[in-house]
Amino acid sequence: MTLGSFLDMGGYAFYVWTSYGITTAVLLFNLLAPIVQRKQLLRQLALKQKRPQR
């Protein structure tokens, strides 16, 4: 098996590599979205604590 034939995936390269790419993108989103949301929430809570209470 050569690298070229591996990358060609038996003629289904476009479908295989597209599915790998979409899967990777979804996994990265599922990993990074909660981290970003947590940082935003902590920033909002810190701003609320700094404001004087009425």
Side-chain angles (χ1 to χ4, degrees), residues 31-50:
L31 177 71
L32 297 176
I35 294 170
V36 171
Q37 289 175 348
R38 181 178 185 271
K39 285 183 181 181
Q40 289 175 346
L41 177 63
L42 291 175
R43 194 176 307 123
Q44 288 174 357
L45 290 174
L47 286 174
K48 276 188 176 182
Q49 283 184 337
K50 287 182 181 179

Side-chain angles (χ1 to χ4, degrees), residues 7-36:
L7 294 176
D8 184 44
M9 295 285 175
Y12 295 101
F14 175 76
Y15 304 107
V16 171
W17 294 114
T18 302
S19 65
Y20 275 124
I22 291 170
T23 301
T24 302
V26 169
L27 288 174
L28 285 174
F29 177 78
N30 283 334
L31 177 71
L32 297 176
I35 294 170
V36 171

